Amino acid sequence: MAGEVKMFFEHDLRTVNDPKEVAITDGSKFNELDVRFIDQVFRGVVPRLPFPLSYPYFVILVDEQGNEVVTIRDYRLLDEKSQKALERSLDRTYFMPRIIAIRNLETSGDEFIWDVDTDRGQRVFRTRGRRSISLVGNRVVIVDVEDNMYIIFDVYSLDKKSRGHLESIF
Amino acid sequence: MANLMQRARSNHVSQLEPEDVKKSLSIVKERLRGILSEDEHAPYFFMSDLNEEGRYDVRWLVVGDRRLFVFSGSGSLEKEIRIGDISSVWFRDYIGSAEIGVCVDDSFESLIRFRRNRAEDFRKAATLIEEIKNGLDLALNIRPDSEFIYAGVQNQFGRRETLSWLLSFLRPHWPHMLLGLLLSIGITGLSLVPPILMRSLIDNALGAEKDIQLLVTLAIYLITIYAFSTLLNIGQQYLLAHIGRQVIFSMRKSLYAHIQRLSLSFYDRMSSGRILSRILDDVGRVQWFLAWGIPSLVVNALLLVGVGIILFTINLRLAALALIPVTFTALGVPRFRRRARKAYHKSWRRWSDVSSLLVDTISGAITVKSFAREDSEIERLEEKLRRLIQSDKEITVLHLQFFPLLGFLASLGAVMVWWFGGLAVVGGELSLGTLVAFVNYMWMFYNPVNSITNLIQPLQQALTSGERVLEVMTVESDVKEDPNALELEIKGNIKFVDVTFGYEPYIPVVHKINLEIKAGEMVGIVGPSGSGKTTLVKLIMRHYDPIEGRIEIDGVDVKRLRLDALRRQIGVVQQEPILFDDSVLFNISYGKPEAQPEEIIAAAKAANAHQFIMNLPLAYDSPVGERGSRLSGGERQRVAIARAILTNPKILILDEATSSVDTITERQIQEAMDRLVKNRTTIVIAHRLSTLQNADRIVVMDKGKIVETGTHEELLKSGGLYAQLYQAQFAEEAGLKAVQEAR
């Protein structure tokens, strides 16, 4: 894992320093995981993303009582099996469609009508006002009028036409 | 004189013009030359505008190495005192004025009176006299020819100064400007050709012998000229727009950068609405001036000269006639300009009143509504709008008094040219073609004259805006950083030595504060509101400098520390923390953008904020809304605590951090605080005394002074102000509890 962070507070983050210390498997209950961390085993944990946009691979595993049992800085460094198990669970827990392309973007008054391709399929939705679209670094978070969230993970990974649409509203 | 100009940049307002002060000073210096002995120096000049009787009048206090002199503005010597005879110097603050006096042979003698705006300088004078009396040798410390002039005259920025400042923004773009000028010359040159062709057309092609071939040639020439002229115009417009954008970019940037570096006292003096209007509106008007006004002035001036030469070459007498209306314009416009300057300033002030009111009442909508004051606010705005309309009306009337009449005179001139020119054509002295060409040129001559006069109004506006921007640009920060400031890794010892400070000069908010806080100590500061608690914090942060005394951190005067280093090592949580419209992550890491995610989480946990943040839809990436409006008061408070402690400050200041939250949240914050006070100096300003029971020491303030210090128990026992406050609160809380239990 990346260099250890020097801390000055007392805290209870059990941070993984070596990916080999961790193994994640499907738990006995649906959509729960079991995690082995060094010599401890925690059963029935769920993954939480404290920074879904800024550090999307930073995961905290939380047990049934809500205790944060293990903190993983970058789950991409885990072994493949663990990663797969974790991703399956994350995928179910976090429904945040990623926009891959913007087919069309119409403006009427302060309403935008988006026609997009996401990683979960094609979609048309409306947003109202400038505030429903926020830019965090290269990421864009869009909240539609029904409070659904859409994310553009990296503005620069969009094709030119999509970027053109997006640029017209920023 | 460099010093006078330097002082002139300060904020003191005086009705004296810098010129008057200069004149008076040179008279005083002349008189002084006759009084001083050969090896005597008197390099310090302090100006006051009050005389002995307290009437407005110029007085100069001159401090030399042996004697003090007081001169009147016209140079007569009013007082003379040998410094060696002085036993003490006194400085007295009154209301609206103050004075310095000296004690000679046990008798008090007033030296000079001055208004409060001059007090800062005269305090220096008093200190200086004291130092010389105690043996400071001026000759050793300063060069014999140096002069120090403290005249405090505010500079009204001259047009020339404003203009040269504005033009300095164009300097980096000189290649573009040069190209623009060349294009302008080209456009002007081309526009001078058509009337000549017109003459040829009338006299030769359409004259006695009709010449179709010539007509075709002339038509082709004209088309070519207009085509070129269009192209050059496109190029010029594009260039001007480009330069305008660049200039405005660098001007807004440097203005914002300057304002960012000013101390808080600037923000106290100028409301945020006024600052915004200067960055947004005034800079916009200046953009117009630089990008469009100046070039069009240049083009028109070129045209004026070019056409003028042609007019006089064609016919001297007609040219002289054509010039008559121009003289009226030339006489009328300066008169107009003087009156316009006043009228525009007035209109702007009123506009900024309107925008201040809007900013206040719209952001304070809840207060307006809570007091059901909507109607009166509407009336208030109506009144201000009415005043604005009134001043706009005055501007319109002013314009109408001048320009229509000038236009009429121009038309009269044209009629005269037709009349006399027509007579000449009839008499055979002039060809018809030449007269038509002349009249064409004449209108071409009036055009730039009119354009230039029409440009004056917007130029006026732009220069006024420029002045307003320059005024902000020349405000100096009250808190200045020592060029040799130290970057100190602080331990957290804080010491106030005889500190006196007031936001208004010489109305102290805190008075002669002596307080020592050891590294790692937790000190509570309590006292009624207005007792100066928060002011102490601002002084430690060096948002302001004390008027007297000093503040030391680890034994070093804070004035000798680098500002950024000092502030970075102090964490502050305010009563109403301000969050920025971005994510929770952005706000927590505001003081340490490079913080690792674990640090952010740890800081949030320490501030008892982690749980509620994790429950937000995007956790730490959730937006907090404008000024943090999507979070509750207690949540904002805890985010602010996390922000303050992320930098691991050696000194942590909690300024009524828990006063606006409920008791459960307060307990959570309290828990967080208990975790944080270890290994750092903590100052807790609290209204609720229950928050302070863990404090090592409690300082009780009243009316700007420290009245008691001790632990909670000690203070209760001694039965002073703290005990009273505590009992009052305890009774209140007990009462509340009783009410709750009864339910």
Side-chain angles (χ1 to χ4, degrees):
Chain A
M1 293 263 131
E4 220 175 308
V5 182
K6 243 173 103 184
M7 300 283 230
F8 47 86
F9 312 112
E10 290 173 29
H11 63 84
D12 47 4
L13 286 180
R14 203 175 284 119
T15 311
V16 176
N17 288 314
D18 180 356
K20 288 192 200 77
E21 295 169 348
V22 182
I24 300 173
T25 50
D26 286 332
S28 51
K29 280 198 216 145
F30 180 69
N31 197 31
E32 279 186 358
L33 300 169
D34 290 345
V35 57
R36 181 185 54 75
F37 177 49
I38 311 179
D39 48 3
Q40 278 178 291
V41 175
F42 303 97
R43 297 194 185 282
V45 299
V46 289
R48 302 285 305 274
L49 298 175
F51 309 96
L53 305 178
S54 315
Y55 303 99
Y57 306 105
F58 189 112
V59 176
I60 300 180
L61 298 173
V62 181
D63 71 11
E64 265 175 294
Q65 285 77 46
N67 301 314
E68 298 178 348
V69 292
V70 180
T71 303
I72 302 166
R73 306 192 78 210
D74 187 344
Y75 71 70
R76 290 172 299 182
L77 301 179
L78 298 179
D79 65 82
E80 203 177 321
K81 259 175 80 186
S82 300
Q83 221 184 112
K84 280 271 144 57
L86 188 57
E87 270 174 350
R88 262 199 307 279
S89 174
L90 280 172
D91 194 56
R92 198 163 273 281
T93 317
Y94 287 88
F95 183 80
M96 290 194 279
R98 295 186 184 189
I99 293 173
I100 301 160
I102 303 171
R103 296 179 176 197
N104 194 16
L105 179 59
E106 269 178 58
T107 326
S108 68
D110 71 336
E111 226 178 47
F112 297 117
I113 302 156
W114 304 68
D115 183 350
V116 297
D117 284 327
T118 73
D119 59 347
R120 313 226 179 199
Q122 189 258 338
R123 194 82 208 148
V124 176
F125 62 90
R126 289 161 182 273
T127 60
R128 207 166 288 144
R130 183 68 176 66
R131 302 221 117 245
S132 53
I133 304 152
S134 46
L135 190 72
V136 183
N138 290 338
R139 306 209 161 107
V140 182
V141 183
I142 302 161
V143 181
D144 73 3
V145 289
E146 293 163 327
D147 271 348
N148 299 306
M149 200 183 298
Y150 302 86
I151 288 165
I152 299 170
F153 226 69
D154 180 3
V155 176
Y156 298 98
S157 68
L158 293 179
D159 59 283
K160 215 173 157 191
K161 190 181 147 217
S162 304
R163 266 216 310 276
H165 281 308
L166 201 59
E167 213 149 84
S168 69
I169 57 166
F170 272 106
Chain B
M1 277 329 264
N3 250 301
L4 181 67
M5 287 323 290
Q6 213 177 333
R7 292 297 314 160
R9 295 270 168 119
S10 71
N11 311 313
H12 305 312
V13 181
S14 162
Q15 273 156 27
L16 284 164
E17 296 292 327
E19 281 307 310
D20 299 337
V21 176
K22 268 188 202 175
K23 214 183 284 169
S24 163
L25 180 65
S26 63
I27 298 172
V28 168
K29 279 194 206 158
E30 189 57 46
R31 283 277 293 138
L32 203 58
R33 224 161 283 152
I35 297 171
L36 294 179
S37 62
E38 225 170 80
D39 57 341
E40 192 178 7
H41 298 295
Y44 291 95
F45 298 81
F46 296 88
M47 196 206 70
S48 158
D49 56 2
L50 281 188
N51 66 13
E52 193 73 326
E53 286 77 44
R55 304 194 59 87
Y56 293 116
D57 198 0
V58 175
R59 287 289 180 274
W60 289 93
L61 171 66
V62 183
V63 180
D65 49 4
R66 284 173 224 167
R67 288 183 280 178
L68 306 175
F69 307 94
V70 176
F71 287 97
S72 75
S74 54
S76 65
L77 183 61
E78 308 271 310
K79 273 173 203 146
E80 183 190 329
I81 292 163
R82 296 193 61 79
I83 296 180
D85 297 340
I86 297 172
S87 56
S88 65
V89 183
W90 47 265
F91 186 105
R92 286 207 185 138
D93 276 329
Y94 306 122
I95 300 200
S97 78
E99 73 182 311
I100 295 185
V102 287
C103 196
V104 179
D105 301 335
D106 286 338
S107 75
F108 287 95
E109 189 167 345
S110 168
L111 258 187
I112 190 163
R113 295 178 67 172
F114 41 88
R115 294 188 296 141
R116 277 222 331 249
N117 59 345
R118 306 283 309 117
E120 194 187 323
D121 284 347
F122 278 100
R123 216 171 261 280
K124 285 181 202 149
T127 317
L128 182 70
I129 299 169
E130 190 91 44
E131 295 282 318
I132 297 173
K133 176 179 81 77
N134 294 337
L136 171 81
D137 190 349
L138 287 184
L140 284 179
N141 290 291
I142 55 173
R143 282 184 298 143
D145 56 341
S146 37
E147 270 173 6
F148 302 91
I149 291 138
Y150 299 89
V153 179
Q154 193 190 25
N155 199 12
Q156 296 279 328
F157 293 106
R159 283 281 135 120
R160 197 175 302 161
E161 200 177 347
T162 309
L163 200 62
S164 80
W165 176 73
L166 288 177
L167 292 179
S168 73
F169 281 95
L170 289 176
R171 206 163 297 139
H173 306 287
W174 71 266
H176 284 127
M177 295 296 288
L178 186 69
L179 186 57
L181 183 69
L182 291 177
L183 287 173
S184 305
I185 292 174
I187 294 168
T188 312
L190 285 177
S191 66
L192 290 178
V193 182
I196 299 175
L197 299 178
M198 205 82 77
R199 173 166 69 179
S200 202
L201 183 82
I202 293 171
D203 286 351
N204 305 336
L206 309 176
E209 298 123 42
K210 310 276 183 266
D211 186 344
I212 291 297
Q213 189 53 47
L214 184 60
L215 182 64
V216 173
T217 319
L218 287 175
I220 292 171
Y221 280 165
L222 279 172
I223 291 172
T224 320
I225 286 167
Y226 288 129
F228 263 107
S229 177
T230 308
L231 283 179
L232 293 188
N233 261 310
I234 293 173
Q236 195 206 25
Q237 300 289 327
Y238 181 81
L239 205 61
L240 291 184
H242 170 76
I243 297 171
R245 281 191 301 270
Q246 294 297 315
V247 164
I248 222 61
F249 169 78
S250 50
M251 194 178 287
R252 286 215 169 100
K253 199 177 80 176
S254 65
L255 182 61
Y256 185 65
H258 180 75
I259 292 174
Q260 281 289 332
R261 301 221 159 77
L262 287 175
S263 63
L264 276 182
S265 57
F266 168 75
Y267 295 87
D268 294 343
R269 271 200 306 272
M270 204 178 237
S271 67
S272 51
R274 276 171 67 208
I275 300 174
L276 286 175
S277 124
R278 294 204 181 179
I279 302 179
L280 298 173
D281 307 344
D282 287 324
V283 174
R285 285 190 197 103
V286 170
Q287 170 187 26
W288 177 90
F289 167 75
L290 290 175
W292 200 80
I294 293 185
S296 107
L297 211 57
V298 170
V299 170
N300 281 300
L302 284 173
L303 203 59
L304 203 64
V305 173
V307 177
I309 291 170
I310 292 176
L311 280 180
F312 278 94
T313 341
I314 295 178
N315 189 308
L316 216 58
R317 204 160 62 104
L318 287 183
L321 275 176
L323 276 186
I324 293 174
V326 177
T327 48
F328 287 105
T329 315
L331 287 176
V333 166
R335 221 179 108 76
F336 168 76
R337 191 185 296 203
R338 275 194 300 276
R339 291 174 58 184
R341 185 172 170 171
K342 246 192 212 157
Y344 279 107
H345 266 285
K346 183 153 120 189
S347 165
W348 261 293
R349 274 195 305 275
R350 293 184 176 183
W351 172 242
S352 96
D353 282 350
V354 169
S355 68
S356 294
L357 181 75
L358 287 176
V359 170
D360 266 8
T361 51
I362 289 175
S363 54
I366 183 158
T367 312
V368 176
K369 290 193 179 302
S370 315
F371 288 93
R373 297 281 291 174
E374 292 95 333
D375 287 340
S376 86
E377 288 302 341
I378 294 169
E379 261 168 48
R380 218 146 67 97
L381 183 72
E382 196 182 320
E383 169 60 23
K384 288 195 193 298
L385 283 176
R386 224 184 278 282
R387 284 166 58 81
L388 178 64
I389 285 176
Q390 177 61 32
S391 61
D392 280 349
K393 190 180 122 193
E394 283 164 24
I395 290 173
T396 313
V397 170
L398 189 63
H399 276 266
L400 291 180
Q401 281 170 351
F402 281 90
F403 294 106
L405 185 65
L406 291 178
F408 177 68
L409 289 172
S411 310
L412 276 189
V415 174
M416 281 197 292
V417 168
W418 274 116
W419 174 254
F420 288 105
L423 287 180
V425 172
V426 173
E429 298 158 40
L430 206 66
S431 75
L432 179 61
T434 312
L435 179 63
V436 172
F438 187 91
V439 171
N440 267 313
Y441 278 123
M442 188 185 71
W443 284 117
M444 279 177 73
F445 189 73
Y446 288 166
N447 268 338
V449 172
N450 280 338
S451 306
I452 290 175
T453 46
N454 284 339
L455 272 174
I456 284 167
Q457 178 198 341
L459 283 181
Q460 204 86 36
Q461 292 182 8
L463 276 181
T464 311
S465 285
E467 259 174 62
R468 287 155 54 93
V469 176
L470 183 57
E471 193 192 315
V472 174
M473 286 299 286
T474 49
V475 174
E476 281 177 30
S477 182
D478 290 347
V479 174
K480 290 196 185 68
E481 191 172 74
D482 183 342
N484 307 313
L486 305 168
E487 187 154 359
L488 187 70
E489 189 76 37
I490 64 180
K491 294 191 197 73
N493 295 293
I494 305 169
K495 193 173 172 190
F496 284 76
V497 184
D498 279 331
V499 171
T500 298
F501 172 76
Y503 297 96
E504 287 287 313
Y506 312 113
I507 301 182
V509 177
V510 292
H511 197 80
K512 296 256 178 225
I513 296 289
N514 282 293
L515 176 64
E516 196 170 352
I517 300 172
K518 297 236 160 52
E521 210 179 357
M522 176 181 173
V523 171
I525 303 181
V526 298
S529 45
S531 55
K533 303 176 299 254
T534 301
T535 304
L536 289 189
V537 172
K538 288 182 177 164
L539 289 170
I540 297 174
M541 298 285 285
R542 231 194 135 201
H543 287 312
Y544 302 92
D545 280 334
I547 297 171
E548 271 174 27
R550 62 182 191 279
I551 295 162
E552 290 175 358
I553 288 186
D554 297 342
V556 183
D557 191 331
V558 287
K559 286 185 184 174
R560 293 193 47 228
L561 296 177
R562 279 191 44 178
L563 271 177
D564 55 348
L566 169 74
R567 291 180 185 162
R568 214 173 289 138
Q569 296 182 75
I570 303 177
V572 181
V573 183
Q574 284 138 343
Q575 185 174 358
E576 296 281 344
I578 307 249
L579 300 187
F580 294 110
D581 185 9
D582 206 300
S583 63
V584 175
L585 173 67
F586 174 88
N587 276 289
I588 294 182
S589 61
Y590 194 69
K592 191 182 181 185
E594 74 284 3
Q596 293 297 309
E598 289 93 329
E599 292 178 86
I600 308 271
I601 294 178
K605 284 191 168 184
N608 251 340
H610 179 67
Q611 280 313 321
F612 92 78
I613 294 171
M614 286 303 282
N615 288 332
L616 298 171
L618 286 173
Y620 284 85
D621 284 324
S622 308
V624 300
E626 221 170 329
R627 312 194 76 153
S629 58
R630 293 188 194 181
L631 304 180
S632 74
E635 287 169 347
R636 275 202 292 277
Q637 202 66 263
R638 281 176 279 165
V639 169
I641 294 176
R643 172 173 71 183
I645 61 182
L646 180 67
T647 55
N648 193 20
K650 278 289 172 256
I651 299 172
L652 181 66
I653 300 171
L654 301 159
D655 185 355
E656 309 235 1
T658 60
S659 63
S660 59
V661 297
D662 58 84
T663 34
I664 296 171
T665 316
E666 191 196 353
R667 200 166 308 134
Q668 286 172 333
I669 295 173
Q670 191 72 45
E671 270 173 36
M673 267 162 39
D674 293 344
R675 232 170 289 161
L676 296 169
V677 297
K678 283 175 206 154
N679 302 324
R680 69 187 92 232
T681 310
T682 314
I683 299 176
V684 183
I685 296 176
H687 199 67
R688 268 186 221 154
L689 303 183
S690 51
T691 17
L692 292 175
Q693 299 196 349
N694 297 334
D696 298 317
R697 204 148 46 107
I698 294 170
V699 174
V700 187
M701 291 192 67
D702 191 23
K703 300 189 182 97
K705 289 182 182 158
I706 294 178
V707 290
E708 289 176 296
T709 32
T711 61
H712 175 69
E713 283 76 24
E714 286 167 5
L715 290 173
L716 275 189
K717 231 178 267 168
S718 72
L721 181 63
Y722 182 83
Q724 283 170 33
L725 288 170
Y726 187 81
Q727 259 127 40
Q729 275 189 17
F730 186 72
E732 197 179 303
E733 268 161 37
L736 271 179
K737 220 177 257 171
V739 171
Q740 278 163 356
E741 274 162 19
R743 280 183 189 158

